[in-house]
Amino acid sequence: MLEPNTLLSQRFWDIFSKQNRSKIERFQSYMDKFAVNFNLYKDGAFIERALPFDVIPRIIEAQEFNKIERGLSQRIMALNAFLEDLYTDQKIIKEGIIPEAFIHQAKGFLRDFVGFSPAKKIRTHINGIDLVKDTVSGEWMILEDNLRVPSGASYPLSIRDTYRKIYPDFFEQLSIRPISNYPDYLREAMEYVNTGGINVVLTPGRFNSAYYEHSYLAQQLGAELVRGNKLVVENKVLYFKNFNGAKIRVGAVYRRLDDEFIDPLHFNAESLIGVPGIIEAYLAGNVALLNAVGNGVADDKGIYYFVPQMIRYYLGEEPILSNAPTYLPYFETDKKYIFENIHKLVIKDVAEAGGYGVLFGHTMTKLQLEDIKSLIAAQPRRFIAQELIEFYDERCYIGGEIAPRKADFRAYVVMGESPKVWNCGLTRYAMEEGNYLVNSSQGGGFKDTWVIEETK
Amino acid sequence: MNQLLTATTANNLYWFGRYVERMEAILIELSDLFDRIVDVDNSAGLHFYTRLGIALEYKDARDFINVALFGEHGANLVALAYNARENAIISRSYIDAEAFGTIIELYRLLEHESKNMYSVDFDFVDTIMTRISAIWGSLNHRIKRRNSDYFIRIGKLVEKVDFNLRQGCDNEFVDVILEEIDTMAALLVPSYRRVDTSGMERDALIAEVNAKIERIIAS
């Protein structure tokens, strides 16, 4: 279902109708020329490809976005408080808000890090929160929190400039909030927790799916892009190895690799992309890691269920934005509901991401549903179930025509001294009509997102 | 002069400069050889490629252009552009955006034409030359040079010396370029030591110029 047009969105279409559509192909030329890629691995093969782009932006009216902004700031404050509490005092467990066993079974919870508090007690520096707009309530709903290494901000950031050059009329006639401050947000967040030294962006390397983003953001925020083998730890201090042999102290690392790979001495011993000893430097307070180690527990889809309780517990406020209705088979009453309604629910594996491990009950056979019930009964902590949210389709320009496609919205919140919500985000759309999986790693495309003031 | 770079990035920038220069040098030669094949001597292209250690076979001037650009040998332009592109992708945060975009386009164009069933004509060589000039032009935008610019330039000049020595160029030309390389190397690494190359045999000189980068970038 398409969202009804408003006066403001109608103004977009009025301007669009007067534009030369043959210029649309210039966007693809730009992305090809500058290798604005999100690479894929398929059947073991590395496929270099531009992220598909749709020229029709998602339009969010400023007033509506202001509520999203408040809701996301609130959510990130609560999640940061939760992580800090979980790795220090664990009051939320002691007071029975979240069952202890539930936390301990979370794959992303790192017991070794209990007792450690990072610089300025900030753990959620760079966050990607996935939302959809529900067709029933007309409200935005949170689908997922990504507090480890969320990617995607560079794509709308780099295409916006091109949009302004190709179709300036929109920017002259509509009051579209500017977005070029995202690298400033990142820089401020890094500087805020920097322990003394340069800022670096740690990348797994050229064959990572988001390498374009790593190099683009490093350049934009003025940090050095570096692979793990060019960093070294000596006496619990992290250094950047310059080409001339000089060692330069590093104060903050925007790491674009997961906990598991960041330090072969502490995590996966076979990791070739990490930095041996970086965790020792981190625990000694000699370097800041963005995001903090151990955030994976908050990305756990089972923990997501408890975020509204966290907001009430830590902030004493009611959540401004709702979760999608979610059930945990870990609780008997929820399990009963899931088993009775599994044919219409969405089942998610809590440890998966990127659209993997998602099953839609309405598309499954009876036999498949019985199989998944058996799996849930055997491993109740491994799954959650959610009501299928009928979220709005976005209008996409496909094959010269406007066509509806399911689309979500990843908003970015960067936390330095306080959370800042970027006036943009990654609107991801599914390539096929009716498909609910919009993730880039599932072949989905992206749109720019325009937050527009009512008056110019 | 205080821009930080990892050794890997410095190497990638250096090799980016070398591969783009190698493409340009070959294309300049092709232009001259094309005319000589048309006007003077059908075998003119053979001598040049023999000096590069490549046994080229072609029927006529047009065939020569196609074999030189897309044939299965080490001086194949698609392979050179691929290598330049790979080095650019890895070090892209340090390369001018327009220069980066142009090498991506250039590779795409060469790869596309290499699969085209119709052979290219000399206009195509001009097109490639124009793009390469655009790359060098974009790289020279900045008034104040950074370390990354020096590595690209050193790569370009080392390749120029190497290429010309292999083609039997006179030493005076080489000396001028070596002087510029040494000046930049000393800016990058104050402790850099120059090697006296006067009286060196050609092969020793080729080895020396190729080893310069190892004295600039710490292992």
Side-chain angles (χ1 to χ4, degrees):
Chain A
M1 181 195 281
L2 285 165
E3 191 173 5
N5 270 330
T6 61
L7 284 176
L8 205 53
S9 61
Q10 193 51 53
R11 285 183 62 200
F12 167 84
W13 290 107
D14 291 345
I15 301 168
F16 186 75
S17 67
K18 293 171 190 152
Q19 303 303 310
N20 175 358
R21 295 190 189 184
S22 68
K23 287 186 184 177
I24 289 174
E25 64 189 42
R26 291 193 198 168
F27 288 97
Q28 195 56 51
S29 303
Y30 163 83
M31 294 184 65
D32 289 343
K33 175 170 180 177
F34 293 102
V36 182
N37 292 344
F38 186 88
N39 304 317
L40 294 176
Y41 281 92
K42 199 170 183 182
D43 303 326
F46 177 69
I47 301 168
E48 219 167 17
R49 62 149 210 171
L51 193 58
F53 169 71
D54 181 64
V55 71
I56 311 294
R58 179 196 281 280
I59 291 172
I60 304 178
E61 299 193 10
Q63 200 177 3
E64 188 178 3
F65 192 80
N66 291 344
K67 184 179 175 186
I68 294 175
E69 189 173 5
R70 290 197 309 278
L72 293 178
S73 293
Q74 178 193 57
R75 194 173 180 94
I76 291 303
M77 291 289 281
L79 281 162
N80 191 68
F82 162 69
L83 287 164
E84 181 61 15
D85 178 29
L86 186 63
Y87 283 105
T88 53
D89 302 330
Q90 303 196 333
K91 287 181 190 162
I92 199 163
I93 297 174
K94 289 170 188 163
E95 294 185 23
I97 310 294
I98 303 179
E100 183 173 13
F102 202 82
I103 292 284
H104 288 162
Q105 289 168 22
K107 193 181 164 195
F109 177 61
L110 305 177
R111 285 164 196 262
D112 291 358
F113 288 79
V114 172
F116 171 72
S117 195
K120 308 259 174 78
K121 298 188 188 303
I122 306 288
R123 294 173 181 269
T124 54
H125 311 87
I126 300 146
N127 314 283
I129 311 296
D130 296 344
L131 304 101
V132 291
K133 191 169 181 180
D134 179 24
T135 57
V136 179
S137 65
E139 294 288 334
W140 287 90
M141 277 185 181
I142 310 277
L143 277 191
E144 207 168 288
D145 302 294
N146 298 281
L147 309 187
R148 285 176 294 172
V149 192
S151 64
S154 63
Y155 300 99
L157 192 58
S158 44
I159 207 78
R160 177 68 67 90
D161 253 358
T162 309
Y163 217 121
R164 289 168 57 89
K165 286 171 187 159
I166 296 175
Y167 290 130
D169 293 1
F170 294 106
F171 298 87
E172 276 187 301
Q173 295 173 38
L174 298 171
S175 184
I176 302 164
R177 287 189 184 170
I179 63 168
S180 57
N181 52 1
Y182 186 72
D184 299 334
Y185 287 180
L186 292 180
R187 194 181 311 108
E188 286 163 18
M190 293 187 86
E191 290 299 331
Y192 185 64
V193 293
N194 188 304
T195 58
I198 63 166
N199 295 328
V200 301
V201 175
L202 175 59
T203 174
R206 185 249 182 285
F207 293 105
N208 183 269
S209 56
Y211 184 72
Y212 160 72
E213 171 152 298
H214 305 167
S215 54
Y216 179 81
L217 290 179
Q219 186 183 43
Q220 293 291 311
L221 70 91
E224 303 307 322
L225 180 68
V226 62
R227 290 186 60 189
N229 63 354
K230 298 300 172 197
L231 295 175
V232 63
V233 176
E234 289 176 1
N235 300 319
K236 299 185 183 178
V237 175
L238 182 68
Y239 294 97
F240 171 93
K241 292 195 277 185
N242 202 21
F243 72 90
N244 58 7
K247 289 177 188 148
I248 316 292
R249 184 168 175 169
V250 177
V253 180
Y254 176 15
R255 46 79 172 245
R256 297 298 304 248
L257 58 169
D258 287 334
D259 289 348
E260 190 188 348
F261 301 104
I262 198 166
D263 185 345
L265 299 183
H266 202 96
F267 294 105
N268 185 343
E270 293 180 3
S271 171
L272 299 174
I273 54 177
V275 185
I278 195 172
I279 291 299
E280 203 180 23
Y282 173 62
L283 293 175
N286 290 336
V287 69
L289 296 182
L290 297 86
N291 287 347
V293 174
N295 278 12
V297 64
D299 279 16
D300 186 306
K301 292 176 175 63
I303 298 296
Y304 156 93
Y305 174 90
F306 295 99
V307 178
Q309 283 99 306
M310 291 176 201
I311 294 171
R312 294 184 191 101
Y313 180 71
Y314 293 113
L315 308 181
E317 299 171 4
E318 277 304 304
I320 296 167
L321 295 169
S322 305
N323 277 5
T326 303
Y327 308 95
L328 298 186
Y330 181 83
F331 299 125
E332 278 305 318
T333 47
D334 281 15
K335 185 158 76 182
K336 186 167 179 290
Y337 178 85
I338 293 167
F339 281 8
E340 286 169 1
N341 297 281
I342 198 159
H343 58 285
K344 59 176 188 176
L345 296 173
V346 182
I347 312 297
K348 294 182 177 176
D349 188 323
V350 296
E352 295 282 0
Y356 294 100
V358 179
L359 301 168
F360 292 89
H362 71 277
T363 66
M364 297 167 74
T365 63
K366 275 190 175 173
L367 193 61
Q368 287 171 324
L369 289 172
E370 288 309 314
D371 280 350
I372 191 69
K373 276 187 190 175
S374 306
L375 265 176
I376 291 171
Q379 302 176 66
R381 176 62 181 86
R382 187 180 152 188
F383 299 95
I384 64 164
Q386 289 179 323
E387 298 291 351
L388 178 64
I389 303 295
E390 279 301 337
F391 52 96
Y392 278 119
D393 291 318
E394 277 290 306
R395 292 166 177 85
C396 295
Y397 190 75
I398 296 172
E401 291 179 357
I402 305 296
R405 290 290 184 272
K406 291 284 173 212
D408 79 347
F409 173 56
R410 171 169 288 184
Y412 294 89
V413 188
V414 182
M415 189 159 170
E417 196 167 3
S418 60
K420 287 182 177 165
V421 180
W422 189 34
N423 281 315
C424 189
L426 186 71
T427 292
R428 303 178 299 182
Y429 67 95
M431 295 307 279
E432 305 85 26
E433 189 167 359
N435 187 353
Y436 285 79
L437 288 178
V438 300
N439 307 65
S440 309
S441 43
Q442 300 285 337
F446 83 102
K447 290 166 166 283
D448 195 0
T449 304
W450 295 357
V451 179
I452 307 183
E453 307 286 349
E454 282 173 23
T455 53
K456 168 117 181 164
Chain B
M1 286 305 297
N2 55 3
Q3 182 193 31
L4 301 177
L5 293 171
T6 66
T8 310
T9 305
N11 249 311
N12 290 131
L13 293 165
Y14 168 79
W15 280 103
F16 170 70
R18 284 198 72 158
Y19 281 117
V20 176
E21 172 61 25
R22 196 174 298 177
M23 290 170 72
E24 185 174 40
I26 287 172
L27 290 169
I28 289 168
E29 289 293 331
L30 284 192
S31 175
D32 180 47
L33 293 169
F34 179 81
D35 285 340
R36 284 168 56 198
I37 292 169
V38 170
D39 298 329
V40 185
D41 174 13
N42 177 271
S43 65
L46 298 179
H47 309 312
F48 168 74
Y49 276 93
T50 301
R51 286 198 294 273
L52 296 179
I54 295 165
L56 211 65
E57 289 180 18
Y58 56 88
K59 293 193 294 278
D60 52 26
R62 182 192 282 253
D63 191 34
F64 168 70
I65 291 296
N66 282 274
V67 174
L69 293 177
F70 306 127
E72 288 184 12
H73 52 77
N76 171 325
L77 262 279
V78 184
L80 297 180
Y82 175 85
N83 290 336
R85 172 184 177 272
E86 278 300 296
N87 282 288
I89 286 176
I90 297 168
S91 56
R92 67 181 291 169
S93 358
Y94 301 90
I95 295 178
D96 173 88
E98 199 53 42
F100 174 83
T102 307
I103 193 66
I104 300 288
E105 276 186 332
L106 191 53
Y107 170 69
R108 196 183 294 269
L109 181 63
L110 280 160
E111 195 205 20
H112 178 264
E113 286 301 327
S114 72
K115 291 174 183 164
N116 195 339
M117 61 184 290
Y118 301 106
S119 60
V120 296
D121 55 28
F122 200 84
D123 275 355
F124 185 71
V125 173
D126 283 340
T127 303
I128 302 294
M129 281 294 281
T130 306
R131 301 270 172 110
I132 290 175
S133 299
I135 291 172
W136 293 134
S138 302
L139 291 170
N140 285 327
H141 274 165
R142 253 189 301 275
I143 295 169
K144 191 174 179 219
R145 291 281 172 93
R146 300 183 306 178
N147 290 350
S148 49
D149 302 319
Y150 286 115
F151 277 106
I152 296 172
R153 178 117 185 113
I154 289 173
K156 176 183 166 76
L157 296 182
V158 166
E159 184 64 28
K160 200 179 271 291
V161 173
D162 180 288
F163 188 85
N164 281 288
L165 283 172
R166 289 177 199 278
Q167 296 302 319
C169 184
D170 68 86
N171 277 9
E172 194 179 335
F173 171 77
V174 167
D175 289 345
V176 171
I177 299 178
L178 287 178
E179 178 66 28
E180 189 181 343
I181 294 171
D182 284 339
T183 303
M184 285 188 287
L187 284 169
L188 288 165
V189 185
S191 60
Y192 173 82
R193 59 180 175 81
R194 292 166 192 246
V195 173
D196 182 7
T197 55
S198 53
M200 250 187 204
E201 292 296 320
R202 190 195 73 137
D203 288 349
L205 198 50
I206 289 174
E208 157 56 20
V209 75
N210 279 286
K212 280 184 183 296
I213 193 68
E214 290 159 24
R215 298 205 302 279
I216 301 170
I217 300 175
S219 56

